[in-house]
Every structure is written in structure tokens, then in C-alpha cells.
Amino acid sequence: STDAACKNRPLDLIFIVDSSRSVRPEEFEKVKIFLSKMIDTLDVGEGTTRVAVMNYASTVKIEFPLRTYFDKASMKEAVSHIEPLSAGTMTGLAIQTAMDEVFTEEMGTRPATFNIPKVVIVVTDGRPQDQVQDVAEKARTAGIEIYAIGVDRADMQSLRIMASEPLDKHVFYVETYGVIEKLTSQFRDTFCAVNVCALGAHDCEQICVSNSGSYLCDCYEGYALNPDKRTCSAVDTCAPGRHDCDQICMRNNGSYVCDCYEGYTLNSDRKTCSPMGMCAPGRHDCAQVCLNNDGSYSCDCYEGYTLNADKKTCSAVDMCEPGRHDCEQVCVRDDLSYTCDCYQGYTLNPDKKTCSSKST
């Protein structure tokens, strides 16, 4: 049942499925059922477990990367449409492609700083026809955890060469595709390593980071972890030595801005001060910011605004200008930001940027 889903540590998880000639169509359907049941046990979501599926024979096909589906229903729908590829068993090529093309940030893998485990589950009934050993070793060295599931005629030695240590936790064998679903519960136990952070059984003041069965505390930007390793204090960005303001330092949301004493004005470097000349109130005609410049002055604008051609007044930046946004079809201005939209007959994808035709 879906309520058995792990509220577990998030993963970036790739299923790599063999659909070479030896896998009969009805067996391949069993693999798809296994994938669907596995998806049911996972805590699927953009911020939790992301799933990609790759299909391989003598070629490799990325059925969908990690960034495409963040809900179980659409993911399982996509799985149901996967077609077998037929010839060959290029397992090494498949793992290499996972590294080069799926475990990338643009394809939806979370950045390394997030410490999300990268996991690959390979399902095969054949002996790889290419050099799987070196590729698998490279993948493991890159921090990718590999599980190998062998079915029926699968060559155990190849599975052991591929999989991560300890082998008894990473290599599985089933006699037929018909019983492959039995593995689901084993995997659920594996992936449901109790996540102390998710359970709220921790005492971190700001951020809890899961760490193999235990946890560490961390702080938001602009804060530092106190010696108790639990609570956080705002970093005083204006402490001596932390800033480079000439006269006055003012804290500002985890950072700082400089200011000057009365009778002085901030120079264009935004750090040093000059006796107030041309920027004294009433002496200039800048709409927003006046910058002293050795006996003359220039105007500037607040963040999110650009200086107009008259070099005095300011206009809000048009975020929908070509090159400023990444909307596929329609860009809608929204104060100092923007949102994407689609032409009639299209719907916005979960990435909130690209569009899909509604007829599909």
C-alpha cells in the first residue's frame, strides 16, 4: 500500500533496465510492474526522491531524467509506455550514459552540496557485452551506489563486478521476472534507513542534515553554528575585519552595506566616502542614487532598476526581455521577476518553464 512509502532519506535514483532480445515482451511487462511498485514505496517528490528510468540493449535510451516527474502517478504512467529496445546488452554503456547524461544538474540531479545519495539499480538477465568493470568502478568512485538485480540467465560474476560493497546488500538474484516484485520489500527496507531529520527527532535549531543513521546540525546563510553544534547565531557581518567599509557598516540580511558620516557621501565603489560635494541634497537631479565623482557626479539605480538614456531616471528591469528569461513560450512580467506561460493548446510542465501539447 502507498502508506508504506518511506518518509526516507531523499535519493537521486536511476533505474537502468535491460530490454535486450533475451527479455521477452511479457517479461519486460513484469519489469515495468516492478518499477511501478518500487515507485510506490519511495517518497517521490522534487525535494525528496527523484527518479529517472533508462532502458538499454545495444543502445541506451533515457526514458525520462530526474527532473521530469515529481509525482508517482505521472511517473508510473510514463513507465507503462516504455517499449523494449531488443538487441544487445551494453550494460557498461548504460552506466556510462547515466554518469554523463543523467546525473547532471541540468537533468535534475541535485548539486553535490545537497549530499543527496546517487543510486543506480540495474536490472539485467544477460552478460554485459562491453567492459562493465571499469565503468562501474568509475561510477562507484564518483560516489554512485550501484545495486545489481540479476534475473534468470544473468551472469552472477558480472553483477558482482558492477555492484557496490558490501555485495550481499547490493546484489540480488531472482529466478524469473515473475518473482521480481518480491524484491520490492527488501529495497524498501534498504532505502528506509530511518531519517532522524524527517522524523523531527532532532534538536537542531535551524537545519538538520541526515548523516548515515544519525544527523548533524547546520545554519541558514548569515548564521553560524554555535559551539554546542546545535544552535545558531547571526554572523555579525560588521564585526571588525569582516567588512571593507570606510566609515559606517550596516548589517543587512546576512550581508552588509556601507554608509558615511554626515557631510560625506558614498563613492561609486560603494565602500569609501568623500566629502559631500555634488551629491548634497538639492545639488543633483538623480532619481534614485547619486554617486560622487571627484568634483562631478553620476546617477545610479537601486537593484532591479536600470538607468534610462537620460542618465538620471530609472526604469524597472524588464525580466521578459529576450535573453533574460528561460521560458519556452510565453514570459509574463511580475514586478521585479517573471513567470512562464504557454500558448493556447499547451500546458506548463512541472519545471515551470517548458510547455507540452495538451493532446498527448
Side-chain angles (χ1 to χ4, degrees), residues 240-259:
R242 280 197 183 258
H243 67 87
D244 50 9
C245 297
D246 192 9
Q247 293 186 355
I248 299 172
C249 174
M250 298 188 299
R251 285 200 281 190
N252 174 23
N253 284 309
S255 178
Y256 66 92
V257 290
C258 301
D259 198 1

Side-chain angles (χ1 to χ4, degrees), residues 2-11 38 40-43 49 147 184-196 198-199 210 213:
T2 17
D3 52 19
C6 314
K7 288 286 173 259
N8 61 336
R9 54 184 179 144
L11 309 169
M38 282 295 295
D40 273 335
T41 69
L42 296 165
D43 186 9
T49 290
Y147 291 85
T184 319
S185 56
Q186 273 177 281
F187 272 108
R188 188 170 63 231
D189 298 343
T190 305
F191 293 151
C192 289
V194 172
N195 179 340
V196 191
L199 295 173
S210 273

Side-chain angles (χ1 to χ4, degrees), residues 2 7 12 31 64 87 116 131 133 145 158 163 193 225 242 253-254 264 278 287 320:
T2 17
K7 288 286 173 259
D12 280 339
V31 175
F64 53 86
I116 307 276
Q131 282 307 299
Q133 184 161 8
E145 189 172 8
S158 311
L225 199 60
R242 280 197 183 258
N253 284 309
Y264 287 82
M278 305 300 292
C320 282

Side-chain angles (χ1 to χ4, degrees), residues 111-123:
T113 49
F114 285 42
N115 286 321
I116 307 276
K118 295 184 178 68
V119 179
V120 165
I121 299 179
V122 181
V123 182

